[in-house]
Amino acid sequence: MNKLREGQRSVWAVRRSRVSHRPVSVAAPTLAVSALVVVSTLLAGGLGLSAPDVVAVGVAAAVCGAVATRRALASLLAGVGLALVRPFSPGESVRVYVPDLDDVVDAEIVRIGIVNTTMATRAGVLVMPNARMLRGAPEHPDDLDLSA
């Protein structure tokens, strides 16, 4: 019986590794943007720039950081939108496009987080950024927009 459980665990591990979409990390981009703003502001202040110039440098660094971390910010804002509107709920079946499989699959929502949504498919567990969840699934695979 124990051997059967070990075999089942290995099957699920293989399925999870096969289907898992790249989840979005918010901590690293937020830390990078914060460090960029602090360092650039300190550097501008250390160079003897006036207060308005130091603020302008800090704002410019924040804008550059926001552009660089667009994916994380988009998923974070989409997560807030999903929490407010609640178009999906755990246990609901959805159809989503999975770029790793290059296919549209049916999945059951397990958990909706602030940045990622976790779903169960026939092949395993799928973690999808919330920004992609808000786009929905195309009606036909030829209608896919692969630009994002």
Side-chain angles (χ1 to χ4, degrees):
M1 179 98 147
N2 197 14
K3 200 174 210 180
L4 180 64
R5 286 183 184 162
E6 289 175 14
Q8 187 65 24
R9 285 185 191 134
S10 66
V11 168
W12 283 106
V14 168
R15 287 181 179 175
R16 276 193 300 271
S17 67
R18 230 183 327 169
V19 179
S20 184
H21 187 68
R22 294 178 310 202
V24 175
S25 171
V26 176
T30 303
L31 226 93
V33 170
S34 300
L36 178 68
V37 170
V38 168
V39 168
S40 62
T41 304
L42 289 175
L43 185 62
L47 292 174
L49 296 177
S50 64
D53 291 340
V54 170
V55 170
V57 168
V59 168
V63 168
C64 290
V67 169
T69 60
R70 178 189 63 83
R71 181 173 173 240
L73 291 174
S75 285
L76 183 64
L77 292 174
V80 170
L82 284 175
L84 292 175
V85 177
R86 297 191 187 274
F88 309 112
S89 61
E92 187 174 345
S93 293
V94 293
R95 182 171 287 216
V96 293
Y97 173 71
V98 182
D100 295 346
L101 299 175
D102 194 29
D103 197 13
V104 177
V105 298
D106 293 320
E108 180 180 334
I109 295 178
V110 176
R111 184 183 83 75
I112 300 174
I114 192 71
V115 179
N116 298 309
T117 298
T118 306
M119 295 172 280
T121 66
R122 288 184 179 162
V125 176
L126 174 67
V127 179
M128 177 108 20
N130 284 338
R132 188 173 297 277
M133 286 299 296
L134 283 181
R135 286 189 218 147
E139 292 300 318
H140 190 272
D142 293 339
D143 298 336
L144 298 176
D145 177 21
L146 302 175
S147 62

